[in-house]
Amino acid sequence: MSNTAAAAQTISRSNETSFKILIIIGLCHLLNDSIQAIIPAMFPILENSMGLSFTQLGIIGFALNIVASVLQPIVGMATDKKPMPYALPIGLTSSMIGVLGLALAPSFEYIVISVVFIGLGSAVFHPEGSRVAYMAAGSKRGLAQSIYQVGGNSGQAMAPLITALILVPLGQIGAAWFTGVAAIAVGLLTYIAIWYARNLRIEQSMLNKKSKSTIENQKGLAKGVKFALVLILVLIFARSWYISGMTNYYAFYTIENYSFSITQAQIFLFAFLVAGALGTFFGGPLADRFGKKRVIFLSMIVSAPLTILIPFVPPTAAFCLLTVTGFILMSSFSVTVVYAQELVPGKIGTMAGLTVGLAFGMGAIGAMVIGRLADIIGITDTMILTAFLPLIGLLTLLLPSDQKLNEWNQ
């Protein structure tokens, strides 16, 4: 009788949503991504102080994001086999070292080295952070992933405010303030790691059982799963390149076309990114109700005509379109992660590392390519071309339906 009661209690506990843990890991995601956000936020500062070209700025963005992109899936695969709770605070310690180095870097080369340390911290944080969100989700998986991801997007949205309030008045040395942000994140993640380690044995046992049965059911569906996963990665590519173009270079577009100051340009980016954070939060619950495929499709296709219009309208209209576009386009951010995790059950860290890591990696390549394109044809024409990327969202029509995913997982 006691064994039966214990089993029932375990099942009941696994269906409960731990909002306390979700809020803390979401806050840590905010702090982690706000540290990353200071790098593109510093681009106008570095261009003025060091005379860097768009290509060099793109290389800095590439150095940050490609490290996270390459290592995130690797970390995810490793932790699927053997979860590492205390890797979370260790990763943020690497970011703390990197942000201090960024503040003190005397040359382009040292900046690249510093952002590599920040990329390493991000590579460790994201797959393990997503696993914590999954463990704390209970039966509300979409909502849990939205809470976790909205923290990160909120951190990214802080970049324009960071530029206007800290980096413009203080310059490069202002990045040193974020060593304190990193220290707070390390402390919170230590608490998370203790909770993670305590709950790991029960959760991992349940995941292993589910993983084995799911893998057996999916042997005959390998081709369909692989095709769907490739489509998801292509959609992430399109979204990430567009967002990379906006976050890294739209400020230069407004300075050239609207005669804005750096501070004025950051207000437009802030609106875009805050709206994106809100879209991320609402996307998960909407997908739980209306379907993941439908939300992914609509987020790409509805935003496409808006992105195409943005370079051709006056400042006031551009501000409004940016805000709406950010909300709609980013509503699929957390949904693509959940879709991939349900596409390949039992590989929570791997799928989180692959989808979120690919978003970083595609953003890295996009930053470099778009920066090079801006040097060749000019920032205005580059922004016009970038605006067509969300049209790739038409490929969503080829994804398996939510019902098909459920059939595969039975």
Side-chain angles (χ1 to χ4, degrees):
M1 183 68 68
S2 59
N3 290 337
T4 303
Q9 186 178 10
T10 298
I11 294 172
S12 175
R13 189 181 304 148
S14 70
N15 290 324
E16 292 179 1
T17 303
S18 178
F19 286 102
K20 178 181 178 181
I21 295 299
L22 288 173
I23 290 170
I24 294 174
I25 196 64
L27 177 59
C28 290
H29 200 179
L30 183 152
L31 297 176
N32 177 82
D33 283 24
S34 69
I35 293 171
Q36 290 179 239
I38 70 172
I39 296 169
M42 287 183 69
F43 280 4
I45 307 298
L46 295 174
E47 184 203 30
N48 290 333
S49 64
M50 292 187 175
L52 302 183
S53 66
F54 285 125
T55 300
Q56 287 176 308
L57 296 176
I59 290 171
I60 293 171
F62 178 83
L64 168 70
N65 293 322
I66 200 64
V67 171
S69 173
V70 170
L71 290 183
Q72 275 194 52
I74 295 173
V75 171
M77 286 187 286
T79 55
D80 277 335
K81 295 179 180 179
K82 186 178 181 181
M84 298 179 286
Y86 290 94
L88 285 165
I90 292 172
L92 259 293
T93 301
S94 173
S95 295
M96 184 166 60
I97 294 170
V99 77
L100 182 61
L102 183 64
L104 303 175
S107 66
F108 169 71
E109 292 77 13
Y110 281 98
I111 288 174
V112 172
I113 293 171
S114 297
V115 300
V116 166
F117 274 92
I118 296 174
L120 288 171
S122 176
V124 173
F125 173 81
H126 282 98
E128 282 297 84
S130 185
R131 188 189 307 279
V132 169
Y134 187 92
M135 291 174 67
S139 60
K140 300 178 180 179
R141 195 172 300 169
L143 176 61
Q145 194 64 225
S146 287
I147 293 173
Y148 170 67
Q149 297 293 351
V150 78
N153 288 342
S154 298
Q156 295 170 18
M158 293 175 66
L161 287 182
I162 292 167
T163 302
L165 300 178
I166 298 176
L167 299 180
V168 169
L170 298 180
Q172 181 181 342
I173 194 65
W177 283 82
F178 287 85
T179 56
V181 172
I184 293 171
V186 169
L188 290 173
L189 287 173
T190 300
Y191 175 83
I192 288 286
I194 294 170
W195 176 89
Y196 182 175
R198 186 184 304 131
N199 288 271
L200 184 58
R201 187 170 300 172
I202 294 174
E203 293 290 333
Q204 191 62 45
S205 175
M206 295 176 65
L207 286 174
N208 286 340
K209 290 178 182 178
K210 184 176 180 181
S211 178
K212 289 177 182 177
S213 62
T214 303
I215 289 171
E216 289 175 0
N217 290 335
Q218 283 194 332
K219 283 182 179 178
L221 302 170
K223 290 183 179 179
V225 170
K226 289 178 181 177
F227 177 72
L229 188 57
V230 169
L231 284 180
I232 282 290
L233 299 183
V234 171
L235 295 172
I236 292 172
F237 151 80
R239 187 182 63 211
S240 298
W241 270 46
Y242 179 75
I243 293 171
S244 176
M246 298 300 288
T247 56
N248 288 305
Y249 302 108
Y250 188 71
F252 298 106
Y253 174 87
T254 62
I255 291 168
E256 180 176 302
N257 289 272
Y258 302 147
S259 300
F260 278 5
S261 66
I262 293 177
T263 300
Q264 288 174 314
Q266 300 307 313
I267 294 173
F268 273 51
L269 283 180
F270 179 69
F272 174 73
L273 293 171
V274 167
L278 290 173
T280 299
F281 178 76
F282 285 103
L286 287 173
D288 285 340
R289 182 170 182 180
F290 299 107
K292 293 178 286 295
K293 178 179 176 178
R294 184 174 298 175
V295 170
I296 294 170
F297 176 75
L298 291 176
S299 75
M300 299 288 286
I301 295 307
V302 174
S303 63
L306 305 181
T307 62
I308 293 169
L309 280 174
I310 287 171
F312 300 101
V313 297
T316 302
F319 182 88
C320 296
L321 289 175
L322 278 169
T323 303
V324 176
T325 298
F327 182 91
I328 296 173
L329 188 60
M330 291 302 292
S331 65
S332 64
F333 189 90
S334 62
V335 182
T336 52
V337 178
V338 174
Y339 188 97
Q341 289 176 335
E342 294 188 1
L343 188 64
V344 189
K347 300 293 182 181
I348 304 305
T350 302
M351 289 301 102
L354 187 61
T355 52
V356 180
L358 186 78
F360 281 118
M362 289 298 100
I365 297 172
M368 191 167 60
V369 172
I370 293 171
R372 182 59 179 165
L373 191 62
D375 282 334
I376 295 173
I377 67 173
I379 194 67
T380 298
D381 289 340
T382 299
M383 288 291 98
I384 291 172
L385 289 175
T386 304
F388 287 88
L389 284 168
L391 285 174
I392 295 175
L394 285 168
L395 293 175
T396 309
L397 294 172
L398 301 177
L399 283 174
S401 65
D402 291 57
Q403 182 179 358
K404 178 63 70 175
L405 282 184
N406 291 334
E407 291 175 2
W408 287 358
N409 294 333
Q410 287 176 357

